[in-house]
Amino acid sequence: MRFKGFAFRREGLPILALAAYDLWLLAFPLQGYFFLKMNGPENFSWFIIPHTASFFLVAWLGHRINFRVVSLFAGTLAAIFTAVYPFLPPFQKYLLALIGITSAFLIVRIGCLLRRCRDPVMASALGLALGNVLLGITLWVNPPKEALFPLLGILLLSQVPAPFYPQRKEPLGDLLRYLPFIFAFYLLIGTFYVCLMPFYVKYYYFNGSELLFYIGAVLSSAVLFRKKPDYSLVVGVGMGVFAVAFLHSFTRLTSNLAMYAVQAAAGLIDVFCFGLFIRGGDVVRRFGLGAGTMLAGPMVGLPVLYTERWPMVLCTGGNIVLGLGLLLFYFVQTTVRGREIYRRKASLVTEIDETRLAETCRALGTPRELFSYREWEILKLTLSGKPIREIASLLNLSESSVKTYLQRVYRKLGVSSKSDLLQKLLS
């Protein structure tokens, strides 16, 4: 099925699958409104601990198993366990553990599907936004649990018809340096959300109004991520610090303001993490390791839920951790990137004789002065044999930008393809 070139199975189904998963996650295991009414906070650990461990298992097993088949089977089991959950009270704790394991494979599968969209980050943002819209509708309708949970199970199967593409093993260096900070952020925000939820349910102004802040944040984060990924991270951390500062007392005003701010912070960082996890061709390992680190934060924060002084711990210690962590993170990032830029420049000098290239271009009637700095860099990298994807990574550009610059180079040199370019300049 195609609408104006839009491949629905490739573009639409991953968005719908993420929306269904997000609705399921918020309405059921992650201390959502319905789950809170049914069980209370004590059952949260039955889900979060096996769920977190399973993500790391996925990262380790990803290329050792047929992940396409295993993830499809696990997603089907997660749907079945969800559908029968309210009808088996004696076994609900054990079902939560099984749901935690199987749903980890399911969301990693959805991440692999999103990677094949034309704009994976925007597709992720749209899926998260749609999931919260569906949650708002569900809160308004307020269906009985006997109808809600089977419906959630059916929606989890929406990813089944989407095409799954093979994964390849790639280095994870660009992901690993973000993981400590992701852990610290979700340790604070995840624990804060779980602690805040009972008071927000008691004091909210309008049921579901907090979802508007999350929807606006995820869409804004996708735009910021396009400009520069770290913009989403910085704004999200700022909103997190702002959110935690509100929780000095459990009043109606502070509970609502805290929830709105934490939803905005979570939306910004969620999209940043999705963009980081589904980059490249090794989504299984990236998503497994990244999501495991995300969930490890709330899991480690579980003991805080059972202490009487948790607001003071979060307000003081949390803001200090986030503030100092952000400074340390950017100091490390600046140092690492400075070394990378130095190595890139050194490699360009050794790989291409720039003087000879400039003389060749001048002899062909296109002197060096007619090229912009970026066009010249891309020309050198192209002649050294590097593919477009690697050039984009080296110069911190999108692949479409590299192609645009390359087309300008072709026009200036009077060629129409890469093969013509190589033949003309290297002959």
Side-chain angles (χ1 to χ4, degrees), residues 47-59:
F47 170 79
I48 194 69
I49 293 175
H51 192 57
T52 303
S54 296
F55 277 118
F56 292 111
L57 181 65
V58 169

Side-chain angles (χ1 to χ4, degrees), residues 203-221:
Y203 292 125
Y204 62 75
Y205 290 123
F206 176 72
N207 194 11
S209 59
E210 75 282 0
L211 304 180
L212 297 175
F213 290 85
Y214 184 87
I215 292 170
V218 295
L219 297 176
S220 300
S221 186

Side-chain angles (χ1 to χ4, degrees), residues 188-207:
L188 173 64
I189 295 300
T191 307
F192 178 57
Y193 174 79
V194 173
C195 293
L196 175 63
M197 192 65 183
F199 300 97
Y200 180 73
V201 170
K202 180 180 178 181
Y203 292 125
Y204 62 75
Y205 290 123
F206 176 72
N207 194 11

Side-chain angles (χ1 to χ4, degrees), residues 192-270:
F192 178 57
Y193 174 79
V194 173
C195 293
L196 175 63
M197 192 65 183
F199 300 97
Y200 180 73
V201 170
K202 180 180 178 181
Y203 292 125
Y204 62 75
Y205 290 123
F206 176 72
N207 194 11
S209 59
E210 75 282 0
L211 304 180
L212 297 175
F213 290 85
Y214 184 87
I215 292 170
V218 295
L219 297 176
S220 300
S221 186
V223 175
L224 290 173
F225 195 94
R226 283 176 172 176
K227 297 181 180 296
K228 190 175 182 180
D230 287 353
Y231 289 166
S232 298
L233 178 65
V234 173
V235 178
V237 170
M239 288 302 300
V241 173
F242 181 70
V244 174
F246 274 112
L247 201 57
H248 295 293
S249 62
F250 306 125
T251 67
R252 188 175 191 186
L253 176 63
T254 56
S255 296
N256 278 269
L257 290 177
M259 179 58 76
Y260 298 155
V262 80
Q263 289 286 346
L268 287 158
I269 302 299
D270 283 352

